[in-house]
Amino acid sequence: MDLRIRGKRALVCASSKGLGRGCAEALAEAGVDLVMNARGAEALEATAAGIRAKSGVDVVAVAGDITTEAGRAAVLAHGPFDILVTNAGGPPPGMWSDWSREDFIKALDANMLTPIALMQAVLPGMMAQGWGRVVNITSVSVKAPVSVLGLSNSARTGLTGFVAGTARQVAGKGVTINNLLPGIHATDRAVALDQGVMKARGISMEEAFAERAATIPAGRYGTPEEFGAACAFLCSQHAGFIVGQNILLDGGATNTTF
C-alpha cells in the first residue's frame, strides 16, 4: 500500500534502536525524510547511516536527551515537521514503597511532559498547513496497569488524558493524534524486564522468556518491524479519520472486550 506520505518530514524520538527504530525504518520506507534522536550518539549515527543507505531519504541524526529543554530545542531546530513520533524509555520497575517524589517527577518529565512539550511545539505549524500526524508510543499499562511499573502507569496515563482532549481540538485542522500501546516486544526493554523476572524467580533467561511469552495468545514477543508498520499507517494519508485512539499491539495479551 502506498501510504502517500513520500516527501513528508518526521521527527522520531528515541529511534536508535527498539520500537523507535522500527518506526523510523517504516517511515523511511514510505519515503519520509527523518530527524532522528537518541541519547547515544554512536548507536544513533549507525542507525541513521543504515536507514539513509537503504531508503535514500534525508536523515538527520541529533544526539541528545529529549527530556531536557536543550535536547528538545536541538531537534526542533530541524523542523518544521509534518509527523511527530514521541518515545522515551520507560522508568524502572519496582513497588509502590520504592519511589520518592523525585522518582515520580522524573517519570512525568520523560513519559508525559516531554511528549506534551513536543506536541505544543509542532501542532501550530501542522494546523496552519492543514495536515499533521502525531503518534505517541505509550504502553499497554495505560489500558491494564502492570503492578511493578507504577511509575510508567502513572506518567503514561497522564499523557493519555492530555491526548484524549487535545486530539479532538486539532482534528478539524487535518491533524491527528493517536497513541500506540505496545505490549511485550523483542527490545532491550523486554530483555531488562526478563532479567528482573530471572533474578526475582531464580530462573534462567530462557525460562523467563518462555514464561512471559506464554502469557501472550500469539505465543511470541512482538517485533519492532511490525510495530513500525502500524506507526507508519497511523502517519499515512489513509488514517485521517482515526482520532484520539489508543491502539494495543500486544499479541492479544490484554484480556479486554474494548
Side-chain angles (χ1 to χ4, degrees), residues 58 74 100 134 138 178 195 197 245:
D58 180 56
S100 66
V134 178
T138 64
N178 293 287
Q195 287 173 337
V197 172
Q245 298 304 300

Side-chain angles (χ1 to χ4, degrees), residues 138-146 180-184 248-250 253-254:
T138 64
S139 170
V140 67
S141 68
V142 304
K143 182 77 172 181
V146 180
L180 284 177
L181 283 55
I184 304 174
L248 284 168
L249 289 90
D250 68 346
T254 305

Side-chain angles (χ1 to χ4, degrees), residues 56-89:
V57 301
D58 180 56
V59 182
V60 177
V62 183
D65 185 351
I66 198 69
T67 69
T68 67
E69 287 189 19
R72 289 190 292 275
V75 294
L76 291 170
H78 294 276
F81 299 103
D82 306 292
I83 295 167
L84 167 66
V85 180
T86 75
N87 185 29

Side-chain angles (χ1 to χ4, degrees), residues 36-251:
M36 299 175 60
N37 163 260
R39 295 180 187 181
E42 186 175 349
L44 178 63
E45 290 291 349
T47 299
I51 293 175
R52 196 180 293 119
K54 182 178 180 180
S55 66
V57 301
D58 180 56
V59 182
V60 177
V62 183
D65 185 351
I66 198 69
T67 69
T68 67
E69 287 189 19
R72 289 190 292 275
V75 294
L76 291 170
H78 294 276
F81 299 103
D82 306 292
I83 295 167
L84 167 66
V85 180
T86 75
N87 185 29
M95 296 299 292
W96 61 270
S97 55
D98 296 335
W99 302 311
S100 66
R101 184 178 188 278
E102 288 70 29
D103 293 321
F104 278 100
I105 294 298
K106 186 175 181 180
L108 289 169
D109 269 338
N111 299 127
M112 176 184 168
L113 298 178
T114 288
I116 289 174
L118 290 169
M119 282 186 272
Q120 289 176 324
V122 304
L123 285 174
M126 291 179 177
M127 295 169 69
Q129 70 181 6
W131 195 94
R133 298 287 185 265
V134 178
V135 175
N136 299 294
I137 301 176
T138 64
S139 170
V140 67
S141 68
V142 304
K143 182 77 172 181
V146 180
S147 61
V148 297
L149 298 181
L151 293 174
S152 180
N153 297 342
S154 304
R156 297 187 195 277
T157 301
L159 173 62
T160 304
F162 175 85
V163 168
T166 304
R168 288 157 175 85
Q169 293 173 339
V170 303
K173 297 294 185 179
V175 180
T176 68
I177 311 175
N178 293 287
N179 303 322
L180 284 177
L181 283 55
I184 304 174
H185 283 69
T187 65
D188 288 351
R189 174 73 162 169
V191 171
L193 293 175
D194 284 345
Q195 287 173 337
V197 172
M198 177 188 70
K199 293 175 182 177
R201 299 279 310 282
I203 58 179
S204 69
M205 274 293 286
E206 291 75 16
E207 289 170 324
F209 171 85
E211 194 172 277
R212 291 219 298 155
T215 67
I216 304 171
R220 63 177 178 85
Y221 288 7
T223 69
E225 291 77 16
E226 60 194 342
F227 187 91
C231 178
F233 178 77
L234 285 179
C235 296
S236 75
Q237 293 283 4
H238 309 293
F241 210 56
I242 304 175
V243 173
Q245 298 304 300
N246 294 281
I247 300 173
L248 284 168
L249 289 90
D250 68 346

